[in-house]
Amino acid sequence: MQIDIGIAEADRKAIAEGLSKVLADTFALYIKTHSFHWNVTGPMFNTLHTMFMEQYTELWNALDEIAERIRALGYPAPGSFTQFTKLASIQEETTVPNAQEMIRQLVAGNEAVARTARAVFPTANDANDQPTADLLTQRLQIHDKTAWMLRSMLE
């Protein structure tokens, strides 16, 4: 069935492609944050273990919102490791870094998701796609704040 929500098909496709990158970065950050939650050690263990759990839980919930917006635009949401690896700008961590390096990587990861989300804004705004702009705004508020809080732990 044809979609007629007031956004041209080409714009819907471009927005869905941008959101697919946001979804992939969010998934990559989710996996990294969850792994760090499991593996953190050191004097800040309890604080970081709890903080990372709050962060990965928030990321997990965000995945559904992003994927459902892609679907509402009429496109399939990526859902495989292969797709996420191709689309994500965040590299996986295959070792267990120390707690300070974990924090540094999560700062970088949150900043990466923010950059990816910001890149979708021009297309969403030009297409008059307020739901996507709202979703992106919400995601940016969370990633900017999380990066700031983590960055503060490194000072």
Side-chain angles (χ1 to χ4, degrees):
M1 183 173 199
Q2 188 155 352
I3 298 173
D4 186 13
I5 60 173
I7 302 172
E9 184 176 349
D11 290 334
R12 285 188 293 106
K13 183 177 186 207
I15 294 165
E17 288 172 354
L19 287 175
S20 293
K21 292 177 182 177
V22 175
L23 183 65
D25 272 354
T26 302
F27 190 79
L29 184 57
Y30 161 77
I31 295 241
K32 186 175 282 198
T33 306
H34 207 148
S35 173
F36 290 173
H37 162 79
W38 290 329
N39 292 300
V40 69
T41 59
M44 294 177 51
F45 168 80
N46 196 46
T47 300
L48 292 176
H49 185 74
T50 301
M51 178 187 283
F52 294 166
M53 183 173 67
E54 291 169 2
Q55 291 172 5
Y56 79 68
T57 300
E58 194 287 324
L59 291 163
W60 178 257
N61 291 325
L63 291 168
D64 203 47
E65 294 296 322
I66 299 163
E68 287 179 356
R69 184 63 195 152
I70 295 167
R71 294 297 300 134
L73 291 167
Y75 291 89
S80 71
F81 286 115
T82 300
Q83 289 173 305
F84 288 146
T85 301
K86 287 179 183 177
L87 293 168
S89 68
I90 297 170
Q91 299 300 308
E92 70 177 334
E93 177 57 68
T94 59
T95 66
V96 179
N98 67 38
Q100 292 293 312
E101 180 59 22
M102 288 178 178
I103 295 168
R104 279 188 206 85
Q105 286 190 33
L106 294 180
V107 168
N110 277 280
E111 290 175 345
V113 178
R115 288 190 304 273
T116 302
R118 279 189 172 85
V120 183
F121 257 106
T123 306
N125 283 336
D126 291 347
N128 205 26
D129 182 2
Q130 293 89 354
T132 296
D134 181 56
L135 174 64
L136 293 170
T137 299
Q138 291 174 39
R139 299 308 314 146
L140 284 166
Q141 288 174 333
I142 289 163
H143 291 291
D144 288 353
K145 183 176 182 180
T146 302
W148 159 65
M149 292 179 141
L150 289 164
R151 199 178 306 108
S152 295
M153 297 180 82
L154 296 173
E155 294 178 0

PDB file of all heavy atoms in Angstrom, residues 3-13 15 69 73 123-124 127-132:
ATOM      1  N   ILE A   3       2.298   4.899   0.720  1.00  0.00           N
ATOM      2  CA  ILE A   3       2.349   5.770   1.898  1.00  0.00           C
ATOM      3  C   ILE A   3       2.155   7.208   1.438  1.00  0.00           C
ATOM      4  O   ILE A   3       2.862   7.678   0.542  1.00  0.00           O
ATOM      5  CB  ILE A   3       3.695   5.608   2.640  1.00  0.00           C
ATOM      6  CG1 ILE A   3       3.826   4.169   3.141  1.00  0.00           C
ATOM      7  CG2 ILE A   3       3.812   6.608   3.774  1.00  0.00           C
ATOM      8  CD1 ILE A   3       5.174   3.860   3.735  1.00  0.00           C
ATOM      9  N   ASP A   4       1.226   7.901   2.085  1.00  0.00           N
ATOM     10  CA  ASP A   4       0.941   9.304   1.749  1.00  0.00           C
ATOM     11  C   ASP A   4       0.814  10.103   3.044  1.00  0.00           C
ATOM     12  O   ASP A   4      -0.283  10.457   3.468  1.00  0.00           O
ATOM     13  CB  ASP A   4      -0.335   9.401   0.910  1.00  0.00           C
ATOM     14  CG  ASP A   4      -0.596  10.822   0.423  1.00  0.00           C
ATOM     15  OD1 ASP A   4       0.321  11.667   0.513  1.00  0.00           O
ATOM     16  OD2 ASP A   4      -1.725  11.080  -0.033  1.00  0.00           O
ATOM     17  N   ILE A   5       1.966  10.365   3.679  1.00  0.00           N
ATOM     18  CA  ILE A   5       1.978  11.088   4.958  1.00  0.00           C
ATOM     19  C   ILE A   5       2.471  12.525   4.806  1.00  0.00           C
ATOM     20  O   ILE A   5       2.732  13.204   5.791  1.00  0.00           O
ATOM     21  CB  ILE A   5       2.824  10.338   6.024  1.00  0.00           C
ATOM     22  CG1 ILE A   5       4.287  10.167   5.573  1.00  0.00           C
ATOM     23  CG2 ILE A   5       2.193   8.989   6.360  1.00  0.00           C
ATOM     24  CD1 ILE A   5       5.217   9.593   6.627  1.00  0.00           C
ATOM     25  N   GLY A   6       2.594  12.964   3.560  1.00  0.00           N
ATOM     26  CA  GLY A   6       3.033  14.336   3.321  1.00  0.00           C
ATOM     27  C   GLY A   6       4.537  14.496   3.194  1.00  0.00           C
ATOM     28  O   GLY A   6       5.045  15.611   3.207  1.00  0.00           O
ATOM     29  N   ILE A   7       5.249  13.391   3.109  1.00  0.00           N
ATOM     30  CA  ILE A   7       6.704  13.420   2.911  1.00  0.00           C
ATOM     31  C   ILE A   7       6.984  12.624   1.637  1.00  0.00           C
ATOM     32  O   ILE A   7       6.584  11.461   1.523  1.00  0.00           O
ATOM     33  CB  ILE A   7       7.465  12.806   4.103  1.00  0.00           C
ATOM     34  CG1 ILE A   7       7.121  13.533   5.406  1.00  0.00           C
ATOM     35  CG2 ILE A   7       8.971  12.839   3.856  1.00  0.00           C
ATOM     36  CD1 ILE A   7       7.676  12.859   6.653  1.00  0.00           C
ATOM     37  N   ALA A   8       7.660  13.254   0.693  1.00  0.00           N
ATOM     38  CA  ALA A   8       7.959  12.602  -0.583  1.00  0.00           C
ATOM     39  C   ALA A   8       8.755  11.314  -0.367  1.00  0.00           C
ATOM     40  O   ALA A   8       9.543  11.208   0.574  1.00  0.00           O
ATOM     41  CB  ALA A   8       8.739  13.558  -1.484  1.00  0.00           C
ATOM     42  N   GLU A   9       8.560  10.360  -1.253  1.00  0.00           N
ATOM     43  CA  GLU A   9       9.224   9.065  -1.127  1.00  0.00           C
ATOM     44  C   GLU A   9      10.745   9.205  -1.065  1.00  0.00           C
ATOM     45  O   GLU A   9      11.410   8.554  -0.248  1.00  0.00           O
ATOM     46  CB  GLU A   9       8.838   8.143  -2.275  1.00  0.00           C
ATOM     47  CG  GLU A   9       9.443   6.760  -2.129  1.00  0.00           C
ATOM     48  CD  GLU A   9       8.992   5.787  -3.196  1.00  0.00           C
ATOM     49  OE1 GLU A   9       8.048   6.084  -3.949  1.00  0.00           O
ATOM     50  OE2 GLU A   9       9.613   4.718  -3.281  1.00  0.00           O
ATOM     51  N   ALA A  10      11.309  10.053  -1.894  1.00  0.00           N
ATOM     52  CA  ALA A  10      12.769  10.235  -1.890  1.00  0.00           C
ATOM     53  C   ALA A  10      13.243  10.772  -0.540  1.00  0.00           C
ATOM     54  O   ALA A  10      14.296  10.351  -0.035  1.00  0.00           O
ATOM     55  CB  ALA A  10      13.191  11.175  -3.015  1.00  0.00           C
ATOM     56  N   ASP A  11      12.470  11.671   0.038  1.00  0.00           N
ATOM     57  CA  ASP A  11      12.825  12.210   1.359  1.00  0.00           C
ATOM     58  C   ASP A  11      12.673  11.142   2.435  1.00  0.00           C
ATOM     59  O   ASP A  11      13.529  11.022   3.328  1.00  0.00           O
ATOM     60  CB  ASP A  11      11.969  13.427   1.697  1.00  0.00           C
ATOM     61  CG  ASP A  11      12.308  14.637   0.848  1.00  0.00           C
ATOM     62  OD1 ASP A  11      13.456  14.734   0.375  1.00  0.00           O
ATOM     63  OD2 ASP A  11      11.412  15.491   0.660  1.00  0.00           O
ATOM     64  N   ARG A  12      11.590  10.374   2.360  1.00  0.00           N
ATOM     65  CA  ARG A  12      11.402   9.301   3.336  1.00  0.00           C
ATOM     66  C   ARG A  12      12.555   8.313   3.271  1.00  0.00           C
ATOM     67  O   ARG A  12      13.072   7.862   4.302  1.00  0.00           O
ATOM     68  CB  ARG A  12      10.071   8.569   3.105  1.00  0.00           C
ATOM     69  CG  ARG A  12       8.854   9.358   3.561  1.00  0.00           C
ATOM     70  CD  ARG A  12       7.548   8.560   3.507  1.00  0.00           C
ATOM     71  NE  ARG A  12       7.144   8.226   2.145  1.00  0.00           N
ATOM     72  CZ  ARG A  12       7.237   7.019   1.583  1.00  0.00           C
ATOM     73  NH1 ARG A  12       7.698   6.001   2.260  1.00  0.00           N
ATOM     74  NH2 ARG A  12       6.855   6.822   0.330  1.00  0.00           N
ATOM     75  N   LYS A  13      12.983   7.999   2.059  1.00  0.00           N
ATOM     76  CA  LYS A  13      14.105   7.067   1.891  1.00  0.00           C
ATOM     77  C   LYS A  13      15.390   7.640   2.490  1.00  0.00           C
ATOM     78  O   LYS A  13      16.108   6.948   3.220  1.00  0.00           O
ATOM     79  CB  LYS A  13      14.314   6.740   0.411  1.00  0.00           C
ATOM     80  CG  LYS A  13      15.417   5.728   0.182  1.00  0.00           C
ATOM     81  CD  LYS A  13      15.568   5.362  -1.282  1.00  0.00           C
ATOM     82  CE  LYS A  13      16.589   4.239  -1.366  1.00  0.00           C
ATOM     83  NZ  LYS A  13      17.277   4.178  -2.601  1.00  0.00           N
ATOM     84  N   ILE A  15      15.713   9.922   4.793  1.00  0.00           N
ATOM     85  CA  ILE A  15      15.588   9.993   6.258  1.00  0.00           C
ATOM     86  C   ILE A  15      15.754   8.603   6.869  1.00  0.00           C
ATOM     87  O   ILE A  15      16.464   8.433   7.866  1.00  0.00           O
ATOM     88  CB  ILE A  15      14.243  10.634   6.659  1.00  0.00           C
ATOM     89  CG1 ILE A  15      14.206  12.096   6.223  1.00  0.00           C
ATOM     90  CG2 ILE A  15      14.012  10.517   8.167  1.00  0.00           C
ATOM     91  CD1 ILE A  15      12.806  12.714   6.239  1.00  0.00           C
ATOM     92  N   ARG A  69      10.411   4.305  13.871  1.00  0.00           N
ATOM     93  CA  ARG A  69      10.296   5.492  13.014  1.00  0.00           C
ATOM     94  C   ARG A  69      10.700   5.141  11.586  1.00  0.00           C
ATOM     95  O   ARG A  69      10.067   5.593  10.625  1.00  0.00           O
ATOM     96  CB  ARG A  69      11.144   6.660  13.557  1.00  0.00           C
ATOM     97  CG  ARG A  69      10.989   7.931  12.755  1.00  0.00           C
ATOM     98  CD  ARG A  69       9.564   8.463  12.801  1.00  0.00           C
ATOM     99  NE  ARG A  69       9.332   9.466  11.768  1.00  0.00           N
ATOM    100  CZ  ARG A  69       8.159   9.713  11.211  1.00  0.00           C
ATOM    101  NH1 ARG A  69       7.083   9.064  11.618  1.00  0.00           N
ATOM    102  NH2 ARG A  69       8.043  10.617  10.270  1.00  0.00           N
ATOM    103  N   LEU A  73       8.187   5.305   8.210  1.00  0.00           N
ATOM    104  CA  LEU A  73       8.532   5.982   6.958  1.00  0.00           C
ATOM    105  C   LEU A  73       8.430   5.039   5.757  1.00  0.00           C
ATOM    106  O   LEU A  73       8.578   5.469   4.620  1.00  0.00           O
ATOM    107  CB  LEU A  73       9.944   6.570   7.049  1.00  0.00           C
ATOM    108  CG  LEU A  73      10.087   7.740   8.021  1.00  0.00           C
ATOM    109  CD1 LEU A  73      11.557   8.046   8.283  1.00  0.00           C
ATOM    110  CD2 LEU A  73       9.347   8.966   7.506  1.00  0.00           C
ATOM    111  N   THR A 123      17.887  16.879   6.353  1.00  0.00           N
ATOM    112  CA  THR A 123      16.923  16.181   5.499  1.00  0.00           C
ATOM    113  C   THR A 123      15.547  16.141   6.158  1.00  0.00           C
ATOM    114  O   THR A 123      14.533  16.387   5.502  1.00  0.00           O
ATOM    115  CB  THR A 123      17.410  14.755   5.184  1.00  0.00           C
ATOM    116  OG1 THR A 123      18.729  14.839   4.641  1.00  0.00           O
ATOM    117  CG2 THR A 123      16.500  14.059   4.197  1.00  0.00           C
ATOM    118  N   ALA A 124      15.512  15.826   7.450  1.00  0.00           N
ATOM    119  CA  ALA A 124      14.227  15.777   8.166  1.00  0.00           C
ATOM    120  C   ALA A 124      13.565  17.153   8.178  1.00  0.00           C
ATOM    121  O   ALA A 124      12.358  17.275   7.935  1.00  0.00           O
ATOM    122  CB  ALA A 124      14.427  15.263   9.585  1.00  0.00           C
ATOM    123  N   ALA A 127      12.217  18.154   4.752  1.00  0.00           N
ATOM    124  CA  ALA A 127      11.040  17.364   4.383  1.00  0.00           C
ATOM    125  C   ALA A 127       9.842  17.649   5.285  1.00  0.00           C
ATOM    126  O   ALA A 127       8.792  17.048   5.130  1.00  0.00           O
ATOM    127  CB  ALA A 127      11.378  15.878   4.433  1.00  0.00           C
ATOM    128  N   ASN A 128      10.020  18.565   6.244  1.00  0.00           N
ATOM    129  CA  ASN A 128       8.941  18.899   7.183  1.00  0.00           C
ATOM    130  C   ASN A 128       8.529  17.666   7.998  1.00  0.00           C
ATOM    131  O   ASN A 128       7.341  17.440   8.254  1.00  0.00           O
ATOM    132  CB  ASN A 128       7.746  19.490   6.420  1.00  0.00           C
ATOM    133  CG  ASN A 128       6.891  20.377   7.301  1.00  0.00           C
ATOM    134  OD1 ASN A 128       7.359  20.939   8.284  1.00  0.00           O
ATOM    135  ND2 ASN A 128       5.622  20.506   6.936  1.00  0.00           N
ATOM    136  N   ASP A 129       9.525  16.885   8.394  1.00  0.00           N
ATOM    137  CA  ASP A 129       9.304  15.644   9.146  1.00  0.00           C
ATOM    138  C   ASP A 129       9.523  15.901  10.637  1.00  0.00           C
ATOM    139  O   ASP A 129      10.570  15.599  11.192  1.00  0.00           O
ATOM    140  CB  ASP A 129      10.232  14.547   8.619  1.00  0.00           C
ATOM    141  CG  ASP A 129      10.031  13.209   9.313  1.00  0.00           C
ATOM    142  OD1 ASP A 129       9.156  13.090  10.190  1.00  0.00           O
ATOM    143  OD2 ASP A 129      10.770  12.265   8.953  1.00  0.00           O
ATOM    144  N   GLN A 130       8.518  16.463  11.267  1.00  0.00           N
ATOM    145  CA  GLN A 130       8.621  16.809  12.688  1.00  0.00           C
ATOM    146  C   GLN A 130       8.802  15.589  13.606  1.00  0.00           C
ATOM    147  O   GLN A 130       9.553  15.686  14.582  1.00  0.00           O
ATOM    148  CB  GLN A 130       7.396  17.625  13.141  1.00  0.00           C
ATOM    149  CG  GLN A 130       7.302  18.990  12.515  1.00  0.00           C
ATOM    150  CD  GLN A 130       6.536  18.980  11.193  1.00  0.00           C
ATOM    151  OE1 GLN A 130       6.148  17.945  10.669  1.00  0.00           O
ATOM    152  NE2 GLN A 130       6.323  20.177  10.647  1.00  0.00           N
ATOM    153  N   PRO A 131       8.132  14.456  13.344  1.00  0.00           N
ATOM    154  CA  PRO A 131       8.364  13.314  14.232  1.00  0.00           C
ATOM    155  C   PRO A 131       9.823  12.854  14.266  1.00  0.00           C
ATOM    156  O   PRO A 131      10.351  12.536  15.332  1.00  0.00           O
ATOM    157  CB  PRO A 131       7.441  12.224  13.674  1.00  0.00           C
ATOM    158  CG  PRO A 131       6.347  12.983  13.000  1.00  0.00           C
ATOM    159  CD  PRO A 131       7.031  14.192  12.404  1.00  0.00           C
ATOM    160  N   THR A 132      10.467  12.840  13.104  1.00  0.00           N
ATOM    161  CA  THR A 132      11.880  12.456  13.088  1.00  0.00           C
ATOM    162  C   THR A 132      12.724  13.518  13.780  1.00  0.00           C
ATOM    163  O   THR A 132      13.623  13.187  14.567  1.00  0.00           O
ATOM    164  CB  THR A 132      12.369  12.217  11.644  1.00  0.00           C
ATOM    165  OG1 THR A 132      11.652  11.109  11.095  1.00  0.00           O
ATOM    166  CG2 THR A 132      13.856  11.926  11.603  1.00  0.00           C
TER     167      THR A 132
END
